[in-house]
Amino acid sequence: MRAVVQCVAESSVEVNGVVVSSIGRGLNVLLGVSGDDNETDIDYICDKLLNLRIFKDSDDKINLSIKDINGELLVISQFTLYGDARKGRRPSFTQSAAHTDAVKLYEKVLDKMRENYKSDMIKTGVFREYMRVSIVNDGPTTILLDSKRGF
């Protein structure tokens, strides 16, 4: 499981010209699921997302988690995070999970996050839809996560 995590002042998702989700201060998370992800990967990603200390404290040190700031999360599925462009010019997406498996794992991530944080603070995109994502990156702060610890 991979995630691109951005601290945001605000973020939103639009589908067919309609805003379907929006958040204020918090994390914009682009989440990719691979074909071999399992519960261990879900646990890792959820723990990191909810406890990663990437927000500034009163001393201007990056030291606070999403829980500490009572922030929101916008979690958007993005299979292209497993795009492999090492050969040729067209990325291969063979490492991405098939959509039926990916949606189940994506939903499990959301369920686990809602169990461990305030469910009303967790928003989503629309799985398998073309989305326009607006992000006001705060910092800017962007972190890459990989449950297999590939980077």
PDB file of all heavy atoms in Angstrom, residues 2-42:
ATOM      1  N   ARG A   2       0.550   2.169  -0.827  1.00  0.00           N
ATOM      2  CA  ARG A   2       1.313   3.404  -0.912  1.00  0.00           C
ATOM      3  C   ARG A   2       0.400   4.597  -0.686  1.00  0.00           C
ATOM      4  O   ARG A   2      -0.763   4.560  -1.045  1.00  0.00           O
ATOM      5  CB  ARG A   2       1.957   3.539  -2.285  1.00  0.00           C
ATOM      6  CG  ARG A   2       3.055   2.558  -2.517  1.00  0.00           C
ATOM      7  CD  ARG A   2       3.692   2.754  -3.863  1.00  0.00           C
ATOM      8  NE  ARG A   2       4.789   1.800  -4.012  1.00  0.00           N
ATOM      9  CZ  ARG A   2       5.355   1.502  -5.163  1.00  0.00           C
ATOM     10  NH1 ARG A   2       4.949   2.096  -6.282  1.00  0.00           N
ATOM     11  NH2 ARG A   2       6.339   0.639  -5.212  1.00  0.00           N
ATOM     12  N   ALA A   3       1.012   5.634  -0.119  1.00  0.00           N
ATOM     13  CA  ALA A   3       0.244   6.863   0.095  1.00  0.00           C
ATOM     14  C   ALA A   3       1.127   8.075  -0.140  1.00  0.00           C
ATOM     15  O   ALA A   3       2.295   8.087   0.247  1.00  0.00           O
ATOM     16  CB  ALA A   3      -0.327   6.895   1.508  1.00  0.00           C
ATOM     17  N   VAL A   4       0.553   9.063  -0.798  1.00  0.00           N
ATOM     18  CA  VAL A   4       1.146  10.387  -0.881  1.00  0.00           C
ATOM     19  C   VAL A   4       0.342  11.229   0.102  1.00  0.00           C
ATOM     20  O   VAL A   4      -0.874  11.386  -0.057  1.00  0.00           O
ATOM     21  CB  VAL A   4       1.064  10.970  -2.309  1.00  0.00           C
ATOM     22  CG1 VAL A   4       1.585  12.405  -2.334  1.00  0.00           C
ATOM     23  CG2 VAL A   4       1.821  10.090  -3.292  1.00  0.00           C
ATOM     24  N   VAL A   5       1.021  11.731   1.117  1.00  0.00           N
ATOM     25  CA  VAL A   5       0.369  12.425   2.226  1.00  0.00           C
ATOM     26  C   VAL A   5       0.788  13.886   2.200  1.00  0.00           C
ATOM     27  O   VAL A   5       1.979  14.192   2.248  1.00  0.00           O
ATOM     28  CB  VAL A   5       0.767  11.786   3.574  1.00  0.00           C
ATOM     29  CG1 VAL A   5       0.045  12.452   4.719  1.00  0.00           C
ATOM     30  CG2 VAL A   5       0.517  10.285   3.551  1.00  0.00           C
ATOM     31  N   GLN A   6      -0.188  14.776   2.129  1.00  0.00           N
ATOM     32  CA  GLN A   6       0.111  16.202   2.109  1.00  0.00           C
ATOM     33  C   GLN A   6      -0.642  16.918   3.219  1.00  0.00           C
ATOM     34  O   GLN A   6      -1.851  16.732   3.387  1.00  0.00           O
ATOM     35  CB  GLN A   6      -0.280  16.809   0.768  1.00  0.00           C
ATOM     36  CG  GLN A   6       0.553  16.278  -0.379  1.00  0.00           C
ATOM     37  CD  GLN A   6       0.222  16.960  -1.684  1.00  0.00           C
ATOM     38  OE1 GLN A   6      -0.911  16.927  -2.124  1.00  0.00           O
ATOM     39  NE2 GLN A   6       1.228  17.573  -2.286  1.00  0.00           N
ATOM     40  N   CYS A   7       0.108  17.733   3.968  1.00  0.00           N
ATOM     41  CA  CYS A   7      -0.544  18.629   4.930  1.00  0.00           C
ATOM     42  C   CYS A   7      -1.223  19.718   4.106  1.00  0.00           C
ATOM     43  O   CYS A   7      -0.598  20.308   3.225  1.00  0.00           O
ATOM     44  CB  CYS A   7       0.479  19.264   5.855  1.00  0.00           C
ATOM     45  SG  CYS A   7       1.263  18.097   6.966  1.00  0.00           S
ATOM     46  N   VAL A   8      -2.492  19.957   4.386  1.00  0.00           N
ATOM     47  CA  VAL A   8      -3.236  20.927   3.595  1.00  0.00           C
ATOM     48  C   VAL A   8      -3.945  21.939   4.491  1.00  0.00           C
ATOM     49  O   VAL A   8      -4.333  21.631   5.618  1.00  0.00           O
ATOM     50  CB  VAL A   8      -4.275  20.239   2.668  1.00  0.00           C
ATOM     51  CG1 VAL A   8      -3.585  19.347   1.649  1.00  0.00           C
ATOM     52  CG2 VAL A   8      -5.311  19.449   3.449  1.00  0.00           C
ATOM     53  N   ALA A   9      -4.113  23.129   3.938  1.00  0.00           N
ATOM     54  CA  ALA A   9      -4.964  24.133   4.562  1.00  0.00           C
ATOM     55  C   ALA A   9      -6.417  23.828   4.213  1.00  0.00           C
ATOM     56  O   ALA A   9      -7.327  24.051   5.002  1.00  0.00           O
ATOM     57  CB  ALA A   9      -4.583  25.533   4.089  1.00  0.00           C
ATOM     58  N   GLU A  10      -6.581  23.266   2.994  1.00  0.00           N
ATOM     59  CA  GLU A  10      -7.891  22.798   2.533  1.00  0.00           C
ATOM     60  C   GLU A  10      -7.694  21.916   1.319  1.00  0.00           C
ATOM     61  O   GLU A  10      -6.673  21.989   0.639  1.00  0.00           O
ATOM     62  CB  GLU A  10      -8.813  23.964   2.191  1.00  0.00           C
ATOM     63  CG  GLU A  10      -8.288  24.854   1.092  1.00  0.00           C
ATOM     64  CD  GLU A  10      -9.147  26.071   0.854  1.00  0.00           C
ATOM     65  OE1 GLU A  10      -9.256  26.911   1.758  1.00  0.00           O
ATOM     66  OE2 GLU A  10      -9.700  26.176  -0.259  1.00  0.00           O
ATOM     67  N   SER A  11      -8.690  21.072   1.057  1.00  0.00           N
ATOM     68  CA  SER A  11      -8.639  20.181  -0.101  1.00  0.00           C
ATOM     69  C   SER A  11     -10.070  19.756  -0.434  1.00  0.00           C
ATOM     70  O   SER A  11     -10.927  19.687   0.444  1.00  0.00           O
ATOM     71  CB  SER A  11      -7.781  18.949   0.217  1.00  0.00           C
ATOM     72  OG  SER A  11      -7.640  18.132  -0.918  1.00  0.00           O
ATOM     73  N   SER A  12     -10.286  19.466  -1.710  1.00  0.00           N
ATOM     74  CA  SER A  12     -11.618  19.022  -2.129  1.00  0.00           C
ATOM     75  C   SER A  12     -11.520  18.108  -3.336  1.00  0.00           C
ATOM     76  O   SER A  12     -10.518  18.098  -4.051  1.00  0.00           O
ATOM     77  CB  SER A  12     -12.521  20.216  -2.445  1.00  0.00           C
ATOM     78  OG  SER A  12     -12.005  20.943  -3.535  1.00  0.00           O
ATOM     79  N   VAL A  13     -12.597  17.349  -3.553  1.00  0.00           N
ATOM     80  CA  VAL A  13     -12.708  16.440  -4.691  1.00  0.00           C
ATOM     81  C   VAL A  13     -13.981  16.768  -5.443  1.00  0.00           C
ATOM     82  O   VAL A  13     -15.056  16.901  -4.843  1.00  0.00           O
ATOM     83  CB  VAL A  13     -12.763  14.961  -4.248  1.00  0.00           C
ATOM     84  CG1 VAL A  13     -12.995  14.041  -5.424  1.00  0.00           C
ATOM     85  CG2 VAL A  13     -11.505  14.570  -3.525  1.00  0.00           C
ATOM     86  N   GLU A  14     -13.835  16.873  -6.741  1.00  0.00           N
ATOM     87  CA  GLU A  14     -14.963  17.188  -7.613  1.00  0.00           C
ATOM     88  C   GLU A  14     -15.153  16.032  -8.608  1.00  0.00           C
ATOM     89  O   GLU A  14     -14.186  15.541  -9.174  1.00  0.00           O
ATOM     90  CB  GLU A  14     -14.626  18.477  -8.359  1.00  0.00           C
ATOM     91  CG  GLU A  14     -15.697  19.027  -9.233  1.00  0.00           C
ATOM     92  CD  GLU A  14     -15.209  20.307  -9.910  1.00  0.00           C
ATOM     93  OE1 GLU A  14     -14.807  21.253  -9.208  1.00  0.00           O
ATOM     94  OE2 GLU A  14     -15.234  20.327 -11.153  1.00  0.00           O
ATOM     95  N   VAL A  15     -16.391  15.605  -8.786  1.00  0.00           N
ATOM     96  CA  VAL A  15     -16.742  14.579  -9.764  1.00  0.00           C
ATOM     97  C   VAL A  15     -17.869  15.136 -10.633  1.00  0.00           C
ATOM     98  O   VAL A  15     -18.892  15.585 -10.104  1.00  0.00           O
ATOM     99  CB  VAL A  15     -17.193  13.259  -9.089  1.00  0.00           C
ATOM    100  CG1 VAL A  15     -17.650  12.250 -10.123  1.00  0.00           C
ATOM    101  CG2 VAL A  15     -16.078  12.689  -8.226  1.00  0.00           C
ATOM    102  N   ASN A  16     -17.663  15.149 -11.938  1.00  0.00           N
ATOM    103  CA  ASN A  16     -18.658  15.672 -12.874  1.00  0.00           C
ATOM    104  C   ASN A  16     -19.117  17.086 -12.520  1.00  0.00           C
ATOM    105  O   ASN A  16     -20.305  17.403 -12.577  1.00  0.00           O
ATOM    106  CB  ASN A  16     -19.865  14.735 -12.967  1.00  0.00           C
ATOM    107  CG  ASN A  16     -19.491  13.383 -13.522  1.00  0.00           C
ATOM    108  OD1 ASN A  16     -18.674  13.270 -14.441  1.00  0.00           O
ATOM    109  ND2 ASN A  16     -20.063  12.334 -12.948  1.00  0.00           N
ATOM    110  N   GLY A  17     -18.175  17.917 -12.114  1.00  0.00           N
ATOM    111  CA  GLY A  17     -18.483  19.306 -11.811  1.00  0.00           C
ATOM    112  C   GLY A  17     -19.109  19.557 -10.453  1.00  0.00           C
ATOM    113  O   GLY A  17     -19.472  20.690 -10.140  1.00  0.00           O
ATOM    114  N   VAL A  18     -19.234  18.512  -9.629  1.00  0.00           N
ATOM    115  CA  VAL A  18     -19.856  18.646  -8.312  1.00  0.00           C
ATOM    116  C   VAL A  18     -18.831  18.292  -7.230  1.00  0.00           C
ATOM    117  O   VAL A  18     -18.192  17.236  -7.298  1.00  0.00           O
ATOM    118  CB  VAL A  18     -21.084  17.711  -8.188  1.00  0.00           C
ATOM    119  CG1 VAL A  18     -21.681  17.774  -6.786  1.00  0.00           C
ATOM    120  CG2 VAL A  18     -22.123  18.051  -9.242  1.00  0.00           C
ATOM    121  N   VAL A  19     -18.675  19.167  -6.244  1.00  0.00           N
ATOM    122  CA  VAL A  19     -17.780  18.865  -5.128  1.00  0.00           C
ATOM    123  C   VAL A  19     -18.446  17.789  -4.271  1.00  0.00           C
ATOM    124  O   VAL A  19     -19.543  17.979  -3.760  1.00  0.00           O
ATOM    125  CB  VAL A  19     -17.485  20.130  -4.287  1.00  0.00           C
ATOM    126  CG1 VAL A  19     -16.676  19.770  -3.045  1.00  0.00           C
ATOM    127  CG2 VAL A  19     -16.744  21.168  -5.127  1.00  0.00           C
ATOM    128  N   VAL A  20     -17.767  16.636  -4.147  1.00  0.00           N
ATOM    129  CA  VAL A  20     -18.328  15.513  -3.397  1.00  0.00           C
ATOM    130  C   VAL A  20     -17.752  15.403  -1.992  1.00  0.00           C
ATOM    131  O   VAL A  20     -18.353  14.771  -1.123  1.00  0.00           O
ATOM    132  CB  VAL A  20     -18.155  14.174  -4.151  1.00  0.00           C
ATOM    133  CG1 VAL A  20     -18.946  14.179  -5.445  1.00  0.00           C
ATOM    134  CG2 VAL A  20     -16.693  13.868  -4.416  1.00  0.00           C
ATOM    135  N   SER A  21     -16.579  15.996  -1.772  1.00  0.00           N
ATOM    136  CA  SER A  21     -15.949  16.009  -0.450  1.00  0.00           C
ATOM    137  C   SER A  21     -15.029  17.207  -0.343  1.00  0.00           C
ATOM    138  O   SER A  21     -14.405  17.605  -1.331  1.00  0.00           O
ATOM    139  CB  SER A  21     -15.115  14.742  -0.212  1.00  0.00           C
ATOM    140  OG  SER A  21     -15.908  13.622   0.015  1.00  0.00           O
ATOM    141  N   SER A  22     -14.926  17.728   0.871  1.00  0.00           N
ATOM    142  CA  SER A  22     -13.973  18.802   1.113  1.00  0.00           C
ATOM    143  C   SER A  22     -13.581  18.789   2.579  1.00  0.00           C
ATOM    144  O   SER A  22     -14.349  18.350   3.442  1.00  0.00           O
ATOM    145  CB  SER A  22     -14.549  20.155   0.716  1.00  0.00           C
ATOM    146  OG  SER A  22     -15.658  20.470   1.519  1.00  0.00           O
ATOM    147  N   ILE A  23     -12.355  19.265   2.837  1.00  0.00           N
ATOM    148  CA  ILE A  23     -11.863  19.361   4.205  1.00  0.00           C
ATOM    149  C   ILE A  23     -11.169  20.704   4.389  1.00  0.00           C
ATOM    150  O   ILE A  23     -10.778  21.354   3.426  1.00  0.00           O
ATOM    151  CB  ILE A  23     -10.883  18.216   4.566  1.00  0.00           C
ATOM    152  CG1 ILE A  23      -9.613  18.267   3.704  1.00  0.00           C
ATOM    153  CG2 ILE A  23     -11.577  16.864   4.483  1.00  0.00           C
ATOM    154  CD1 ILE A  23      -8.480  17.362   4.189  1.00  0.00           C
ATOM    155  N   GLY A  24     -10.987  21.055   5.635  1.00  0.00           N
ATOM    156  CA  GLY A  24     -10.160  22.196   5.998  1.00  0.00           C
ATOM    157  C   GLY A  24      -8.779  21.688   6.347  1.00  0.00           C
ATOM    158  O   GLY A  24      -8.256  20.779   5.695  1.00  0.00           O
ATOM    159  N   ARG A  25      -8.203  22.208   7.415  1.00  0.00           N
ATOM    160  CA  ARG A  25      -6.847  21.821   7.817  1.00  0.00           C
ATOM    161  C   ARG A  25      -6.768  20.322   8.097  1.00  0.00           C
ATOM    162  O   ARG A  25      -7.601  19.764   8.806  1.00  0.00           O
ATOM    163  CB  ARG A  25      -6.440  22.591   9.062  1.00  0.00           C
ATOM    164  CG  ARG A  25      -5.016  22.325   9.467  1.00  0.00           C
ATOM    165  CD  ARG A  25      -4.591  23.218  10.606  1.00  0.00           C
ATOM    166  NE  ARG A  25      -3.184  23.011  10.904  1.00  0.00           N
ATOM    167  CZ  ARG A  25      -2.681  23.009  12.125  1.00  0.00           C
ATOM    168  NH1 ARG A  25      -3.471  23.220  13.158  1.00  0.00           N
ATOM    169  NH2 ARG A  25      -1.392  22.805  12.313  1.00  0.00           N
ATOM    170  N   GLY A  26      -5.756  19.693   7.506  1.00  0.00           N
ATOM    171  CA  GLY A  26      -5.589  18.265   7.732  1.00  0.00           C
ATOM    172  C   GLY A  26      -4.676  17.627   6.721  1.00  0.00           C
ATOM    173  O   GLY A  26      -3.687  18.223   6.300  1.00  0.00           O
ATOM    174  N   LEU A  27      -5.030  16.402   6.315  1.00  0.00           N
ATOM    175  CA  LEU A  27      -4.226  15.622   5.383  1.00  0.00           C
ATOM    176  C   LEU A  27      -5.010  15.266   4.137  1.00  0.00           C
ATOM    177  O   LEU A  27      -6.141  14.773   4.223  1.00  0.00           O
ATOM    178  CB  LEU A  27      -3.748  14.315   6.033  1.00  0.00           C
ATOM    179  CG  LEU A  27      -2.820  14.420   7.222  1.00  0.00           C
ATOM    180  CD1 LEU A  27      -2.536  13.031   7.795  1.00  0.00           C
ATOM    181  CD2 LEU A  27      -1.520  15.119   6.843  1.00  0.00           C
ATOM    182  N   ASN A  28      -4.398  15.501   2.996  1.00  0.00           N
ATOM    183  CA  ASN A  28      -4.897  14.972   1.729  1.00  0.00           C
ATOM    184  C   ASN A  28      -4.073  13.714   1.482  1.00  0.00           C
ATOM    185  O   ASN A  28      -2.845  13.759   1.484  1.00  0.00           O
ATOM    186  CB  ASN A  28      -4.688  15.976   0.591  1.00  0.00           C
ATOM    187  CG  ASN A  28      -5.317  15.489  -0.690  1.00  0.00           C
ATOM    188  OD1 ASN A  28      -6.453  15.785  -0.988  1.00  0.00           O
ATOM    189  ND2 ASN A  28      -4.555  14.723  -1.454  1.00  0.00           N
ATOM    190  N   VAL A  29      -4.758  12.582   1.322  1.00  0.00           N
ATOM    191  CA  VAL A  29      -4.078  11.297   1.170  1.00  0.00           C
ATOM    192  C   VAL A  29      -4.492  10.658  -0.148  1.00  0.00           C
ATOM    193  O   VAL A  29      -5.670  10.380  -0.375  1.00  0.00           O
ATOM    194  CB  VAL A  29      -4.439  10.335   2.329  1.00  0.00           C
ATOM    195  CG1 VAL A  29      -3.742   8.984   2.146  1.00  0.00           C
ATOM    196  CG2 VAL A  29      -4.110  10.950   3.677  1.00  0.00           C
ATOM    197  N   LEU A  30      -3.503  10.449  -1.021  1.00  0.00           N
ATOM    198  CA  LEU A  30      -3.718   9.680  -2.245  1.00  0.00           C
ATOM    199  C   LEU A  30      -3.260   8.272  -1.919  1.00  0.00           C
ATOM    200  O   LEU A  30      -2.098   8.059  -1.550  1.00  0.00           O
ATOM    201  CB  LEU A  30      -2.913  10.274  -3.403  1.00  0.00           C
ATOM    202  CG  LEU A  30      -3.161  11.755  -3.684  1.00  0.00           C
ATOM    203  CD1 LEU A  30      -2.224  12.244  -4.785  1.00  0.00           C
ATOM    204  CD2 LEU A  30      -4.607  12.003  -4.051  1.00  0.00           C
ATOM    205  N   LEU A  31      -4.176   7.302  -2.009  1.00  0.00           N
ATOM    206  CA  LEU A  31      -3.905   5.941  -1.543  1.00  0.00           C
ATOM    207  C   LEU A  31      -3.927   4.947  -2.695  1.00  0.00           C
ATOM    208  O   LEU A  31      -4.928   4.841  -3.406  1.00  0.00           O
ATOM    209  CB  LEU A  31      -4.945   5.537  -0.493  1.00  0.00           C
ATOM    210  CG  LEU A  31      -4.767   4.168   0.138  1.00  0.00           C
ATOM    211  CD1 LEU A  31      -3.512   4.147   1.019  1.00  0.00           C
ATOM    212  CD2 LEU A  31      -6.000   3.817   0.955  1.00  0.00           C
ATOM    213  N   GLY A  32      -2.829   4.239  -2.865  1.00  0.00           N
ATOM    214  CA  GLY A  32      -2.733   3.199  -3.883  1.00  0.00           C
ATOM    215  C   GLY A  32      -2.660   1.831  -3.235  1.00  0.00           C
ATOM    216  O   GLY A  32      -2.009   1.651  -2.202  1.00  0.00           O
ATOM    217  N   VAL A  33      -3.330   0.855  -3.842  1.00  0.00           N
ATOM    218  CA  VAL A  33      -3.393  -0.505  -3.312  1.00  0.00           C
ATOM    219  C   VAL A  33      -2.782  -1.455  -4.330  1.00  0.00           C
ATOM    220  O   VAL A  33      -3.129  -1.410  -5.508  1.00  0.00           O
ATOM    221  CB  VAL A  33      -4.856  -0.905  -3.019  1.00  0.00           C
ATOM    222  CG1 VAL A  33      -4.945  -2.306  -2.474  1.00  0.00           C
ATOM    223  CG2 VAL A  33      -5.498   0.089  -2.056  1.00  0.00           C
ATOM    224  N   SER A  34      -1.891  -2.327  -3.846  1.00  0.00           N
ATOM    225  CA  SER A  34      -1.273  -3.301  -4.749  1.00  0.00           C
ATOM    226  C   SER A  34      -1.980  -4.648  -4.635  1.00  0.00           C
ATOM    227  O   SER A  34      -2.753  -4.877  -3.697  1.00  0.00           O
ATOM    228  CB  SER A  34       0.217  -3.464  -4.453  1.00  0.00           C
ATOM    229  OG  SER A  34       0.421  -4.288  -3.332  1.00  0.00           O
ATOM    230  N   GLY A  35      -1.661  -5.525  -5.561  1.00  0.00           N
ATOM    231  CA  GLY A  35      -2.295  -6.838  -5.600  1.00  0.00           C
ATOM    232  C   GLY A  35      -1.931  -7.746  -4.451  1.00  0.00           C
ATOM    233  O   GLY A  35      -2.641  -8.708  -4.178  1.00  0.00           O
ATOM    234  N   ASP A  36      -0.849  -7.451  -3.739  1.00  0.00           N
ATOM    235  CA  ASP A  36      -0.460  -8.331  -2.630  1.00  0.00           C
ATOM    236  C   ASP A  36      -0.637  -7.681  -1.257  1.00  0.00           C
ATOM    237  O   ASP A  36      -0.099  -8.162  -0.268  1.00  0.00           O
ATOM    238  CB  ASP A  36       0.970  -8.835  -2.818  1.00  0.00           C
ATOM    239  CG  ASP A  36       2.019  -7.738  -2.772  1.00  0.00           C
ATOM    240  OD1 ASP A  36       1.648  -6.554  -2.805  1.00  0.00           O
ATOM    241  OD2 ASP A  36       3.212  -8.076  -2.696  1.00  0.00           O
ATOM    242  N   ASP A  37      -1.396  -6.599  -1.162  1.00  0.00           N
ATOM    243  CA  ASP A  37      -1.643  -5.958   0.123  1.00  0.00           C
ATOM    244  C   ASP A  37      -2.598  -6.792   0.971  1.00  0.00           C
ATOM    245  O   ASP A  37      -3.458  -7.503   0.447  1.00  0.00           O
ATOM    246  CB  ASP A  37      -2.210  -4.553  -0.074  1.00  0.00           C
ATOM    247  CG  ASP A  37      -1.149  -3.561  -0.525  1.00  0.00           C
ATOM    248  OD1 ASP A  37       0.046  -3.807  -0.277  1.00  0.00           O
ATOM    249  OD2 ASP A  37      -1.523  -2.537  -1.116  1.00  0.00           O
ATOM    250  N   ASN A  38      -2.439  -6.681   2.295  1.00  0.00           N
ATOM    251  CA  ASN A  38      -3.263  -7.444   3.227  1.00  0.00           C
ATOM    252  C   ASN A  38      -3.475  -6.640   4.508  1.00  0.00           C
ATOM    253  O   ASN A  38      -3.188  -5.450   4.548  1.00  0.00           O
ATOM    254  CB  ASN A  38      -2.609  -8.803   3.517  1.00  0.00           C
ATOM    255  CG  ASN A  38      -1.199  -8.658   4.057  1.00  0.00           C
ATOM    256  OD1 ASN A  38      -0.915  -7.791   4.880  1.00  0.00           O
ATOM    257  ND2 ASN A  38      -0.293  -9.499   3.584  1.00  0.00           N
ATOM    258  N   GLU A  39      -3.946  -7.299   5.556  1.00  0.00           N
ATOM    259  CA  GLU A  39      -4.251  -6.627   6.824  1.00  0.00           C
ATOM    260  C   GLU A  39      -3.027  -5.943   7.432  1.00  0.00           C
ATOM    261  O   GLU A  39      -3.149  -4.882   8.046  1.00  0.00           O
ATOM    262  CB  GLU A  39      -4.842  -7.621   7.832  1.00  0.00           C
ATOM    263  CG  GLU A  39      -6.197  -8.176   7.451  1.00  0.00           C
ATOM    264  CD  GLU A  39      -7.303  -7.124   7.459  1.00  0.00           C
ATOM    265  OE1 GLU A  39      -7.243  -6.175   8.278  1.00  0.00           O
ATOM    266  OE2 GLU A  39      -8.238  -7.255   6.657  1.00  0.00           O
ATOM    267  N   THR A  40      -1.859  -6.541   7.262  1.00  0.00           N
ATOM    268  CA  THR A  40      -0.634  -5.943   7.790  1.00  0.00           C
ATOM    269  C   THR A  40      -0.378  -4.588   7.142  1.00  0.00           C
ATOM    270  O   THR A  40      -0.001  -3.623   7.816  1.00  0.00           O
ATOM    271  CB  THR A  40       0.565  -6.885   7.558  1.00  0.00           C
ATOM    272  OG1 THR A  40       0.295  -8.130   8.198  1.00  0.00           O
ATOM    273  CG2 THR A  40       1.857  -6.302   8.101  1.00  0.00           C
ATOM    274  N   ASP A  41      -0.618  -4.505   5.838  1.00  0.00           N
ATOM    275  CA  ASP A  41      -0.437  -3.247   5.112  1.00  0.00           C
ATOM    276  C   ASP A  41      -1.466  -2.208   5.565  1.00  0.00           C
ATOM    277  O   ASP A  41      -1.136  -1.034   5.725  1.00  0.00           O
ATOM    278  CB  ASP A  41      -0.549  -3.493   3.608  1.00  0.00           C
ATOM    279  CG  ASP A  41       0.483  -4.488   3.136  1.00  0.00           C
ATOM    280  OD1 ASP A  41       1.668  -4.123   3.039  1.00  0.00           O
ATOM    281  OD2 ASP A  41       0.105  -5.651   2.867  1.00  0.00           O
ATOM    282  N   ILE A  42      -2.685  -2.652   5.782  1.00  0.00           N
ATOM    283  CA  ILE A  42      -3.744  -1.755   6.262  1.00  0.00           C
ATOM    284  C   ILE A  42      -3.363  -1.186   7.623  1.00  0.00           C
ATOM    285  O   ILE A  42      -3.455   0.022   7.856  1.00  0.00           O
ATOM    286  CB  ILE A  42      -5.098  -2.499   6.331  1.00  0.00           C
ATOM    287  CG1 ILE A  42      -5.579  -2.823   4.920  1.00  0.00           C
ATOM    288  CG2 ILE A  42      -6.134  -1.679   7.108  1.00  0.00           C
ATOM    289  CD1 ILE A  42      -6.746  -3.787   4.872  1.00  0.00           C
TER     290      ILE A  42
END
